[in-house]
Amino acid sequence: MEIIIGSDHGGYRLKEEIAEYLKTKGHSVFNAGTYSTDSCDYPVIAKEVARRVLATANSKGILVCGTGIGVSIAANKIKGIRAAHCTDTYTARMTMQHNNSNILCLGERVTGSGLALDIVDAWLNAKFEGGRHQRRIDMIEEN
Ligand code: RB5
């Protein structure tokens, strides 16, 4: 699986740490930026990651900003994206099992890196359960 990862300046350090962690786990990682702690606009990166996730087979995305909220709001504007902002392993696991989330959002100023890496593991190791949950996901896309 390819993991497409991105952040703004507020999530830069945690994003880099997660990228290195994922590589040690054998994942292919595409780093969509930002590439420094210089101030930048999170919607740009969030939408770039979202579009790449939709365009790349067998991929998931991870977005980091200061709180995790801005990137999740922005990514969820892209049709087909189900971005989940998580601060614990339970919701990370459940959002994969029930929502088939395709982007995980984290907040560097909220969640320490040890917990953040556990959240990443919980999310990536969980499996979508399908069935009634697929029907509900289909309903999300209806106008
Ligand atoms: C940047 O200061 C901060 O606003 C951003 O990282 C994020 O937390 C927005 O939701």
Side-chain angles (χ1 to χ4, degrees):
M1 178 186 294
E2 175 157 300
I3 311 295
I4 299 157
I5 189 164
S7 74
D8 71 350
H9 56 289
Y12 169 74
R13 290 185 182 83
L14 180 57
K15 182 260 290 175
E16 291 296 308
E17 188 170 344
I18 293 169
E20 287 312 307
Y21 176 70
L22 290 171
K23 286 179 200 164
T24 68
K25 292 272 187 176
H27 290 288
S28 163
V29 176
F30 181 89
N31 189 341
T34 186
Y35 304 108
S36 76
T37 54
D38 293 350
S39 183
C40 65
D41 300 323
Y42 63 82
V44 176
I45 300 281
K47 291 184 177 185
E48 165 72 10
V49 167
R51 292 189 178 106
R52 281 184 179 273
V53 166
L54 293 178
T56 307
N58 195 29
S59 72
K60 295 278 184 187
I62 297 178
L63 282 165
V64 190
C65 66
T67 60
I69 296 171
V71 287
S72 66
I73 292 171
N76 276 318
K77 292 288 183 187
I78 306 295
K79 191 170 173 60
I81 287 298
R82 294 174 302 281
H85 174 222
C86 296
T87 55
D88 64 87
T89 56
Y90 176 77
T91 48
R93 190 170 72 251
M94 294 306 288
T95 191
M96 186 67 88
Q97 290 179 189
H98 289 190
N99 314 127
N100 198 17
S101 48
N102 44 17
I103 294 184
L104 172 69
C105 301
L106 296 163
E108 178 182 303
R109 297 171 186 161
V110 179
T111 304
S113 66
L115 176 56
L117 297 182
D118 280 356
I119 290 171
V120 167
D121 279 339
W123 186 63
L124 287 175
N125 291 335
K127 296 278 175 286
F128 178 52
E129 293 176 356
R132 67 189 188 283
H133 301 299
Q134 183 59 56
R135 176 170 52 82
R136 292 162 184 164
I137 287 170
D138 293 343
M139 292 168 77
I140 293 172
E141 297 297 336
E142 289 168 7
N143 288 319

